[in-house]
Every structure is written in structure tokens, then in C-alpha cells.
Amino acid sequence: MTGERYTHRGSPAVERTISEIVTRAGALLSQRFAPGELLTLALIGGYGRGEGGVDRAGGQERPHNNLDLMLVVRDAPPAVLKGELDRALEPLRTEYQVGIDMGLVTLSSLNRAPCRVMWYDVRHGHKTILGDAALLPSLERFRVESILPEDVRDLLINRGTLLVINELLLARGELEAESRRALIRHTVKAIIGYGDALLFFRGAYHWSYVEKRRRMAGRTDVPEAFRRLYEEASAFRFEPDYAGFAGRDLRAWMSETRTQLAAVHLACEAARLGVPTLDWSDYPKRALRHALVEGGLDARAWLHKLRAGLKSPPAVPVKLGKRARLGLRLGGARGLMAAVFPYVTYGAPGPGREFARQALGAANTSDIALQRAYLRFWGSAGDPNFIHTARKLGLTLEDTPS
């Protein structure tokens, strides 16, 4: 990795720091494997692309985001191994005060995986720390034109969930400094995620953040207001400037941003579902019925859906129709979260709110009740690590007596 950059605009000092971290992480992790078991250890994400962000404070620079590591192993390891590897990295997290996330995948499961945004990004944007440097670039079936559209939808929902978290932060009243930083960071990530999805459905997605920024700036089929929003978020991603938000009314900023993102989401779903006149009024039925044709002829995607179909479907008494109900079953938790998302996040009106209440087990159809129920569901079916985030931010996910 000599001579390769980790950040877009960081100093030589922060580049050396990141290099030290990943080199030491590689040495720690390699000790846990017998020869030939670990095929590749790679740095992925923004720093793997060479486009990571840098936080500047007190005249010093440090990584702004977590470092993302991915291990490719030959055979399925013991269930306890991931926990052991994660604990082995804890001294580095403490010493450098930086988050280090780690994923572990077998070569066989990687070869069976559907073409998702993540795998396309990883194939092109990574740095090999240990092992076979040719392995990830050789995965040629992970091409941009092969990415499953429903995976891009899931990417948007993943980033959009940060907006739901922000709403609960705002509901507490005055924000302390750390909550303000979290809200700004979440909103920036959401803007970029929505913009990336829009680029995909406009046929312009790319693995590089720098290239996506350039492409978005040149789009004449994207509203100027959103292009400005995406540009501001992209600039923040590379060089976070929280002080620049000191005088901004974050509540008003969030409201305006949410309105713009709702329009972007609708445009993406109109393209994905092939319904140019789409609105949120009957969105759940349309989205759930579409689950029956998602994946095309990709056997891997259909295997995933069949596995979801074998699980007990959510108890939703509201009338959906046979096709939508089957789509609800095959779409699994991801499909359900996508179907209720506009009512949870944008306050979209209509019968979809009652569908969301029943599907999520919310106390009522108020915004706060739907948001709390959605995040409870997200913590159990979307992101198992979310409960730790909720505790750190002091979020209340249970309904309070009226």
C-alpha cells in the first residue's frame, strides 16, 4: 500500500496514522489464522477508496469516520471467532480513539452473493492489507449494470433511517453539543445516500465519491436545490466543518432537507417500479407487489426471497390483496421497512399510515409512535448493533403513557 492515499485531503501526518492503524490491525488479525485460511484482508469504505474524511481540531487531524476492514476466509470459521477478532482490535480503538469495524466473509459466500452496491464498491474501492491483492478485483460479475435495483432502495432506506433517529433527537428539545454533531453527521450521510441512489436510477452511479460528486454537479435532470445540498454534503464528507453549522437552525434545516429527500425518494421509486406518476397514496401495495418480480433471473436473489418466504409473515390485518401479501412475505424485513418508510419518515398521509401502524406494532399513527416502532423494528431486523447506538444517544424507543 506504499504511496497510496487513505484520505482525500488529509495531511501526511494523518496518512501515517491511518497506515499505522491498518498495519497493526493486519498483524493482530493474521495471528488468529492458520496459514492459508485468511485469503485477503482489505480496507474498504472511504479510506479504502482513498477518499476518507478528516476531522480537524486543535491544529490536529484525525480520521472522521470508522475504518472498515473486510476479511475473506477460505472456510466458515467457528461462530466465536468474529467476537475474538473484534476484541483483538479493541486496544487499537482505544489507543487511536477511532472506530474500527470488521466484516468477515467466506470465499464461497462471496461467490454466491447477488450483485449489491457494496460488492461493486468493494471490488473497485479497497486497499489490500494482507493476502491476495488480485482476489477482490477478480470478482468481475460485480458490475454497476448488474446491481439489483432493490439493493439501491435498501441503501436509501438504510441512510434514511438516520433521519428517523434525528427526529427522536429533536423531540427531546434542546440539543447538547454531541447530539448536534450526530444530527449533522446523520443528515449529511442521508443526503449522500439519497443522491447516490438517484445517480443509480439516472444511470450515472460510480464507486468513487469524488466522481459521484462531479457527476451530480453536472446533472440537468436533478433539481438545482438538491444538487446544492449534495455538493454541501460531499464537501462536508471530505472535510467535516461542524463550526459552519453553529448559526444554523438545525430543526428548520432538517425540515427543508427532509422535504427534498422525500422528492428524491419518490423519483427513485417511480423509476424502480416503472410508475412515472407514483405518489405515496397506494405505495405499500405497489411496492409489495413489485417484490414478486424483483431479482429478475438472478438465482441468488430468488434464493434469498424463498428463505424469507419460509419465515412467518408479519401480522397485518389491513387488506392488501393476494399479490401484495405474497410480496410482503417474500420481501422479508427489508421489504416491509421499505413499504412503511414514507409514512414513518416524511409523515406521508393516507391509508399507508394505518398499514405502518399494524406492520410495526405502533401504539397509534402519530409521527412519534411510528418513528419509535420503526426503530424498534430496525434494531431487531435491520441493524442488530443499533441498540448500542440508541443507548449512546440516549434515545427513548418505548412509547410513553399519554
Side-chain angles (χ1 to χ4, degrees):
M1 295 185 294
T2 305
E4 291 187 277
R5 289 189 62 84
Y6 297 97
T7 69
H8 184 47
R9 294 179 178 173
S11 67
V14 76
E15 290 284 322
R16 284 194 298 271
T17 297
I18 297 172
S19 181
E20 289 173 7
I21 297 171
V22 298
T23 299
R24 291 178 62 184
L28 285 171
L29 296 175
S30 64
Q31 296 171 11
R32 267 66 180 182
F33 292 92
E37 287 183 341
L38 176 60
L39 301 180
T40 294
L41 171 63
L43 178 68
I44 60 175
Y47 299 104
R49 293 176 174 90
E51 301 173 344
V54 175
D55 204 355
R56 294 181 174 87
Q60 293 187 325
E61 294 182 353
R62 60 187 310 278
H64 179 250
N65 306 106
N66 291 356
L67 303 181
D68 297 312
L69 303 176
M70 188 179 78
L71 298 96
V72 183
V73 297
R74 188 173 302 280
D75 301 306
V80 297
L81 180 61
K82 188 179 186 304
E84 293 175 358
L85 296 174
D86 209 42
R87 287 190 293 273
L89 295 172
E90 195 56 37
L92 288 182
R93 297 186 183 101
T94 302
E95 179 180 347
Y96 290 94
Q97 290 296 292
V98 65
I100 305 176
D101 296 329
M102 186 197 65
L104 191 150
V105 62
T106 64
L107 181 60
S108 59
S109 62
L110 192 57
N111 286 331
R112 293 194 306 269
C115 185
R116 302 193 184 282
V117 177
M118 174 186 173
W119 297 128
Y120 163 74
D121 288 351
V122 163
R123 177 192 166 200
H124 293 284
H126 69 274
K127 290 180 172 59
T128 301
I129 302 170
L130 295 172
D132 184 2
L135 193 154
L136 294 178
S138 72
L139 302 173
E140 296 183 0
R141 65 186 184 82
F142 294 141
R143 305 184 304 272
V144 66
E145 60 270 21
S146 301
I147 294 173
L148 299 174
E150 57 269 27
D151 186 58
V152 181
R153 175 208 62 189
D154 292 344
L155 168 68
L156 185 150
I157 299 302
N158 184 292
R159 293 294 180 263
T161 297
L162 296 170
L163 302 176
V164 184
I165 295 172
N166 283 357
E167 288 301 315
L168 294 194
L169 289 175
L170 290 171
R172 296 192 311 204
E174 192 67 27
L175 296 173
E176 68 273 11
E178 188 51 42
S179 293
R180 283 183 64 90
R181 285 174 66 94
L183 187 144
I184 294 165
R185 187 169 61 249
H186 291 170
T187 307
V188 165
K189 286 184 177 180
I191 292 167
I192 292 174
Y194 277 61
D196 291 351
L198 188 59
L199 286 173
F200 175 84
F201 288 109
R202 295 286 192 265
Y205 186 79
H206 194 272
W207 59 269
S208 164
Y209 292 125
V210 173
E211 179 61 18
K212 284 185 289 194
R213 183 182 185 182
R214 186 192 69 78
R215 292 184 182 192
M216 179 63 78
R219 301 298 302 184
T220 58
D221 56 352
V222 175
E224 182 182 356
F226 182 73
R227 281 186 277 129
R228 288 199 303 267
L229 201 63
Y230 189 87
E231 171 61 27
E232 179 184 47
S234 296
F236 184 93
R237 195 200 177 286
F238 294 128
E239 296 182 87
D241 179 18
Y242 291 96
F245 287 83
R248 189 174 300 194
D249 181 341
L250 294 185
R251 194 176 299 273
W253 179 57
M254 269 288 301
S255 178
E256 178 185 348
T257 298
R258 190 171 55 249
T259 298
Q260 289 200 49
L261 296 185
V264 170
H265 187 179
L266 191 62
C268 290
E269 283 298 88
R272 187 178 73 88
L273 301 178
V275 184
T277 58
L278 183 71
D279 60 37
W280 299 130
S281 62
D282 62 346
Y283 173 72
K285 289 184 179 180
R286 286 185 179 276
L288 294 173
R289 288 198 299 261
H290 193 267
L292 300 179
V293 298
E294 287 172 357
L297 299 177
D298 192 309
R300 303 172 187 88
W302 272 98
L303 179 61
H304 180 78
K305 287 200 291 185
L306 290 174
R307 285 173 177 165
L310 294 175
K311 299 178 182 178
S312 299
V316 183
V318 70
K319 292 182 179 179
L320 290 174
K322 291 182 179 180
R323 290 177 61 203
R325 192 168 291 280
L326 180 58
L328 175 62
R329 188 160 188 166
L330 294 181
R334 290 285 181 179
L336 174 59
M337 286 186 285
V340 303
F341 191 79
Y343 311 98
V344 171
T345 310
Y346 318 128
R353 294 185 71 83
E354 176 59 20
F355 168 75
R357 183 193 71 78
Q358 294 183 18
L360 298 172
N364 53 60
T365 59
S366 68
D367 288 343
I368 191 72
L370 292 178
Q371 290 158 5
R372 285 173 174 163
Y374 175 86
L375 289 179
R376 290 197 298 269
F377 189 85
W378 176 258
S380 64
D383 179 5
N385 295 318
F386 171 67
I387 189 64
H388 304 298
T389 301
R391 287 173 182 159
K392 182 179 178 181
L393 294 173
L395 298 179
T396 300
L397 302 184
E398 299 303 321
D399 295 310
T400 55
S402 56

